[in-house]
Amino acid sequence: DTGVSQDPRHKITKRGQNVTFRCDPISEHNRLYWYRQTLGQGPEFLTYFQNEAQLEKSRLLSDRFSAERPKGSFSTLEIQRTEQGDSAMYLCASSLGRGGEGTEAFFGQGTRLTVV
Amino acid sequence: AQSVTQLGSHVSVSEGALVLLRCNYSSSVPPYLFWYVQYPNQGLQLLLKYTTGATLVKGINGFEAEFKKSETSFHLTKPSAHMSDAAEYFCAVTGEWGAQKLVFGQGTRLTINP
């Protein structure tokens, strides 16, 4: 078990470009979460998946953001037409959930996005 | 709905002194409470969690926290600070154990003075 893995760790992009981040959860975890953390703030929930189904999206997730989890394994988060306000740390987490049971969320090391 | 307030964005203590980081929560349902630590440019590492049962929970690195329902608090303590404890600490709450949609406080940066 290598934990939650995120790639890339750092991304610098020009405003208006599209970016895509990848998250590989802990292998047996069926739930996967994306959070965004801006400087000096706590993480904010963006969206989560149970297996391949995206069950909830925060209102923070504008139309420029899309997340997928094909086959219920890794997940991608794409931001289209990036804006400077998108600069943040994007954190992925996973957990094992079965009804009301399961584990707590385990976080990856994050992808830091800088939009210039 | 849930929310978390961490009192004090910066806390500074001397090495060997008591560490106390404050967290108050609001929840419309019985809460599950967590403390996470974050080192610079790193993700979040779970220190401890309260689900049900014993209200005093012990975590890693000598930290513990006590759930006080009457005070809606979940303060984090450590009897003796170590230089390696310097980091950002986040309190978080969820009302639904299975979904793990955490609501975080704004964080407290802990500085340890030699």
Side-chain angles (χ1 to χ4, degrees), chain A residues 31 33 35 41 56 109, chain B residues 41-42 98-99 101-102 106:
Chain A
R31 289 181 172 154
Y33 313 82
Y35 289 82
Q41 302 295 317
E56 186 168 340
Q109 295 195 322
Chain B
N41 295 312
Q42 298 293 316
K101 294 174 294 178
L102 298 168
Q106 292 198 325

Side-chain angles (χ1 to χ4, degrees), chain B residues 12-73:
Chain B
S12 181
V13 302
S14 299
E15 190 174 18
L18 171 71
V19 174
L20 171 61
L21 305 182
R22 299 178 186 274
C23 171
N24 287 89
Y25 70 91
S26 172
S27 179
S28 55
V29 297
Y32 301 101
L33 295 156
F34 306 80
W35 275 99
Y36 284 87
V37 61
Q38 186 176 38
Y39 298 99
N41 295 312
Q42 298 293 316
L44 302 173
Q45 181 183 7
L46 181 68
L47 281 177
L48 49 80
K49 64 181 185 288
Y50 168 78
T51 54
T52 59
T55 56
L56 181 63
V57 293
K58 297 184 183 297
I60 62 172
N61 301 340
F63 284 94
E64 62 182 38
E66 187 171 10
F67 170 61
K68 291 187 177 181
K69 184 178 177 181
S70 61
E71 298 178 8
T72 60
S73 69

